[in-house]
Amino acid sequence: MRDGVATASGTIAITRAVSPTLADCELTHIAREPIDLARAVAQHAAYEAALATLGCRVVRAPDAPGCPDAVFIEDTAVVTDEVAVITRPGAASRRGESAAVAALLATWRPVVTLTDPATLDGGDVLVVGRAVFVGLSSRTNREGLQQLGAALAPHGYVVRGVPVAGVLHLKTAATALDDHTVLVNPAWVDPTAFAPLTAIPVDPGEPGAANVVRVGTQVLVAAAFPRTAQRLRDRGYAVTTVPADELAKAEGALTCCSLLLRDTEAVSRGL
Ligand code: CIR
């Protein structure tokens, strides 16, 4: 369902197919339950279609059928307008996902790669303007924070560590709605960590709702969280909802399934 459309021309959304091995995914904070692969694939297709409708150019990274969590491509990189930082994912089982993503991102950005002993998942990195909030979680360590900071500092970004406990990633608990506002589950992360940004709380009955994808002036919200979606509409945000409950059984949320980057070449051509 869509309330309105403001397209994000000049945004590339990199996605990756749902692997046939998805059932073997990493799980940290939720219990394993059967995953309907066909349903997960259909929800992923709906997600890609929503991104395309919002004006993104959807580009698929090469399939990685042997990597159960490959669909959660967000964790493999942090991309700004200036650089692509290839992460070293915190789960060893996921480190084989990065090389093909690095090769693809080199199409648009210079690439910097984090090295051992750094660990960092893209799901822990929230970029709002030049502020970069980095969740210190079971996946992301201080060396990861420091190496990311070193890669981004030349471009004017300032990184700030945010303690994360009880949930997988920082962006499980908070994501940006615009350059001044974050959507937060205050039970999982202290909203003052984002000061001076304004923090909007999710509906208390929808703890997972803080993970939304901002595309231009639109916000993509999982269909499982209608009260938070309404809360955002009431505040003037244009909300699109997509089903994602099957992917959620693999502990993935909406941001996990794409890497969004400005097509800086398209911007410079005035497209
Ligand atoms: C994992 O545990 O790594 C995957 N099953 C889920 C990753 C979700 N990614 C994300 O939130 N950025």
Side-chain angles (χ1 to χ4, degrees), residues 25-28 69 72 74-75 91 94 121-124 139 168-169 172 211 250-253 255-256:
C25 65
E26 292 283 339
L27 290 178
T28 307
D69 283 305
F72 304 121
E74 167 182 65
D75 293 318
R94 300 200 57 190
D121 281 9
D124 274 318
R139 298 290 177 87
L168 185 57
H169 289 130
T172 318
N211 184 278
E251 212 168 353
T255 61
C256 324

Side-chain angles (χ1 to χ4, degrees), residues 57-193:
R57 179 156 71 91
V58 179
V59 176
R60 273 272 182 107
D63 292 1
C67 296
D69 283 305
V71 65
F72 304 121
I73 191 168
E74 167 182 65
D75 293 318
T76 62
V78 176
V79 187
T80 69
D81 285 353
E82 301 83 5
V83 65
V85 180
I86 306 305
T87 67
R88 184 167 179 271
S93 70
R94 300 200 57 190
R95 295 196 186 134
E97 297 173 27
S98 302
V101 178
L104 180 60
L105 284 170
T107 311
W108 299 284
R109 300 287 190 275
V111 167
V112 174
T113 303
L114 303 189
T115 56
D116 191 10
T119 65
L120 183 138
D121 281 9
D124 274 318
V125 181
L126 176 61
V127 181
V128 190
R130 298 277 147 176
V132 181
F133 301 94
V134 180
L136 294 168
S137 69
S138 62
R139 298 290 177 87
T140 296
N141 64 17
R142 288 205 171 269
E143 184 70 17
L145 166 75
Q146 197 228 309
Q147 289 190 21
L148 180 69
L152 297 183
H155 308 291
Y157 294 88
V158 177
V159 299
R160 192 194 298 183
V162 180
V164 172
V167 284
L168 185 57
H169 289 130
L170 176 65
K171 282 192 283 192
T172 318
T175 52
L177 294 165
D178 55 44
D179 280 348
H180 310 284
T181 317
V182 285
L183 178 64
V184 177
N185 177 346
W188 287 345
V189 69
D190 179 357
T192 64

